[in-house]
Structure formats: structure tokens, C-alpha cells
């Protein structure tokens, strides 16, 4: 089932027990690893681009994002350094790539540490949905808002693990990643 198709998410406050459980869990989490499937919806393409891969993250600031299909690509982030490998060869990383991976790493760090839920860079709203907890984050920073309109995160109601991540861009393109 798709969490975003749900008709009536129920708004809840930050002091709701479900939100507080997520915040408590995030304080003790140091690392995560998961397989993912990703669909990129681009206005210039009729069908979404689909990929599968493996993701791992270790606090603070270390991430590995590996796409296994359709073409192998590995991105390694260690604090502010970004390395990208395609078909086994290291690629030059331009300033835009670095900015994108920095932003993704910061966001993941924020999700895992709980700072995203309490920081000032995003306006955060919480909702109860059938799957669990929906968190909607809208960027308050104007530079970030040029690249990112909204982030939606769905956490499993039992485990509170991130189940689905949707990132919407201002031009209507969006990416849905399921873990």
C-alpha cells in the first residue's frame, strides 16, 4: 500500500506518544543499514526510473549509497568528502553533486539523530497514518527550497524504522524510496 494515497492523515502534535517514541529511538541509534527500491518520477519521462540498492549510515556523517540495478553506482560520503564510483571507476565529483550528497547526508543525520525533528532548517508536521507515523518536512532555508519543495517520511508504527521517503522538487519531479 502507498502511504501517500491515504485520504485522511490525522494531524498529531510533537508531544504525541508516537512522535516521542521516534525521538527517543533516534537518540540511541548510531548506525542503520537497509536495502531499498527507488522510483524517480521526472516530467521529461513517461515512466519512472527504477533502481534497487543498499544503503548504510553511521553517525556522524558517514554514508554509503549503493545502486545495484540497473547500473552499479556507489556514493561514499565521509563528513564533507564525497566519492562516486560508476562501473568500478571513480568519477569526478562536481560542486552540485557534493551539495546534493551533503544535503542528503545532513537530512539522514537529522532523521537518525532526531535533530531534523527539532531543528530550525525545516518546518515539521506530524500525522498518524495506517502504516504508522508520517512526518512532513518543508525547507525553511531559501537555498534548500530551490531544490527541495517537501520531504515526506513514513515510519513503521511498530518498529519506527523508516519505511518510505518521498522528496518533491519545486518543478514537480519527485523520488520515492522504500526501505
Amino acid at each position: 500500500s502507498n502511504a501517500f494515497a491515504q485520504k485522511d492523515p490525522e494531524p498529531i502534535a510533537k508531544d504525541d506518544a508516537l512522535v516521542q517514541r521516534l525521538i527517543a529511538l533516534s537518540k540511541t541509534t548510531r548506525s542503520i543499514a537497509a536495502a531499498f527500491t527507488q522510483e524517480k518520477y521526472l516530467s521529461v519521462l513517461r515512466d519512472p526510473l527504477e533502481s534497487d540498492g543498499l544503503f548504510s549510515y553511521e553517525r556522524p556523517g558517514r554514508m554509503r549509497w549503493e545502486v545495484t540495478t540497473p547500473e552499479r553506482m556507489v556514493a561514499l560520503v565521509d563528513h564533507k568528502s564525497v566519492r562516486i564510483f560508476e562501473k568500478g571507476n571513480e568519477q569526478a565529483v562536481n560542486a552540485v553533486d557534493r551539495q546534493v550528497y551533503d544535503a542528503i547526508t545532513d537530512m539522514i543525520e537529522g532523521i537518525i539523530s532526531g535533530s531534523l525533528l527539532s531543528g530550525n532548517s525545516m518546518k515539521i508536521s506530524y500525522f498518524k497514518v495506517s502504516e504508522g507515523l508520517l512526518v512532513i518536512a518543508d525547507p525553511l532555508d531559501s537555498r534548500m527550497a530551490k531544490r527541495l519543495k517537501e520531504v515526506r517520511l513514513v515510519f513503521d508504527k511498530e518498529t519506527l524504522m523508516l519505511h518510505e521517503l518521498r522528496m518533491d522538487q519545486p518543478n514537480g519531479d519527485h523520488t520515492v524510496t522504500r526501505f
Side-chain angles (χ1 to χ4, degrees), residues 3 17 44 109:
V44 296
E109 172 85 21

Side-chain angles (χ1 to χ4, degrees), residues 94-163:
N94 63 36
V96 174
D97 288 338
R98 191 169 290 112
Q99 241 177 350
V100 167
Y101 282 102
D102 277 354
I104 291 169
T105 307
D106 287 350
M107 190 170 68
I108 291 165
E109 172 85 21
I111 293 164
I112 294 172
S113 69
S115 67
L116 177 75
L117 305 180
S118 56
N120 301 320
S121 63
M122 300 270 201
K123 175 184 173 283
I124 306 292
S125 310
Y126 302 96
F127 301 87
K128 267 192 181 138
V129 291
S130 56
E131 289 87 346
L133 176 64
L134 166 63
V135 178
I136 298 179
D138 297 305
L140 296 173
D141 176 79
S142 61
R143 287 173 317 195
M144 191 186 276
K146 283 187 184 124
R147 290 182 188 82
L148 193 60
K149 181 181 164 203
E150 181 177 86
V151 178
R152 290 175 168 242
L153 308 127
V154 178
F155 295 90
D156 181 89
K157 65 177 158 245
E158 301 302 323
T159 64
L160 286 178
M161 296 310 293
L162 182 61
H163 169 70

Side-chain angles (χ1 to χ4, degrees), residues 40-44 166-175:
K40 286 187 181 188
Y41 296 85
L42 306 174
S43 56
V44 296
R166 175 178 167 142
M167 297 196 288
D168 287 17
Q169 295 172 281
N171 67 359
D173 293 350
H174 64 278
T175 302

